[in-house]
Amino acid sequence: MTDALTTVTDPAYLAGLATDDIDEIRAKRQECQALENSLSYVRRLIHGRLDIVRSELARRRAGDEPADLAALIDRLPELLAEGSRSDTLPRPPQDFAPDPDAEQLAAEIDAEVPASRLGELPHLDLDEVASLGEALAVHEQRISAGRTALHGVIDSLSEEIIRRYQAGDATVESLLG
């Protein structure tokens, strides 16, 4: 996980929240939201690769013939759309550009499960394909756990901002300068 995620999910990050300046709280929330965007980006990368690996495993279980790379590419929109809906409310990304945190996490995934390996799936034995799927699932679980912890921090920061507005300790005018 990134140093930034470790920092913001450490309980010390929220220590003194009730007495912190409102601008500092807003800055912390913005920092956390940027990090959440990075984690979401990387999680989408993992899900795409995982969907492709799972499709290959399903193909093999069904006894279908191996598809060539062109056929796999043709199926990508279908594969990547499967399972893309969630029962939870989404947190829409604020920015789609990957930042250094996303690049670091994506590099970690690429080191273990390079995107180029996906083109080789039809030529890998079953154990190798299953191993790729397991490695991706471990990364996805790690990223999801980090996001869950981060969402708790974002929620705490947002709740403090709301509390201050409700108590009259912060005003909309303060946002306008």
Side-chain angles (χ1 to χ4, degrees):
M1 206 50 59
T2 67
D3 291 341
L5 183 60
T6 301
T7 299
V8 302
T9 56
D10 185 307
Y13 189 76
L14 294 177
L17 186 60
T19 58
D20 285 346
D21 181 71
I22 187 76
D23 291 333
E24 184 179 345
I25 297 169
R26 287 184 186 123
K28 284 182 175 184
R29 185 175 64 173
Q30 187 174 1
E31 174 186 24
C32 290
Q33 287 170 331
L35 183 55
E36 204 284 337
N37 290 339
S38 295
L39 293 176
S40 292
Y41 169 80
V42 172
R43 188 168 174 254
R44 286 190 301 272
L45 291 177
I46 294 169
H47 279 186
R49 291 179 190 185
L50 198 50
D51 289 344
I52 292 167
V53 169
R54 286 177 177 158
S55 172
E56 176 63 16
L57 290 170
R59 179 201 63 78
R60 290 177 185 214
R61 280 192 297 273
D64 294 342
E65 291 297 314
D68 62 4
L69 186 56
L72 175 62
I73 291 171
D74 288 342
R75 288 195 56 220
L76 282 178
E78 169 194 338
L79 294 174
L80 299 177
E82 291 175 9
S84 64
R85 297 204 174 205
S86 172
D87 292 336
T88 61
L89 292 174
R91 291 179 184 253
Q94 306 297 315
D95 184 7
F96 290 105
D99 66 8
D101 289 315
E103 291 173 7
Q104 175 190 341
L105 291 167
E108 290 173 15
I109 294 160
D110 283 336
E112 191 168 336
V113 185
S116 61
R117 278 301 260 173
L118 299 178
E120 301 169 1
L121 287 177
H123 309 292
L124 301 177
D125 67 39
L126 183 60
D127 289 340
E128 290 173 307
V129 176
S131 179
L132 285 174
E134 290 167 10
L136 287 165
V138 166
H139 281 292
E140 194 281 333
Q141 290 168 356
R142 186 172 56 101
I143 296 294
S144 290
R147 284 182 73 228
T148 298
L150 183 58
H151 289 168
V153 174
I154 292 170
D155 291 345
S156 293
L157 293 164
S158 295
E159 287 166 9
E160 179 60 22
I161 291 170
I162 292 167
R163 185 196 68 74
R164 292 199 185 183
Y165 278 106
Q166 289 174 338
D169 297 334
T171 63
V172 174
E173 292 79 23
S174 69
L175 283 174
L176 303 175

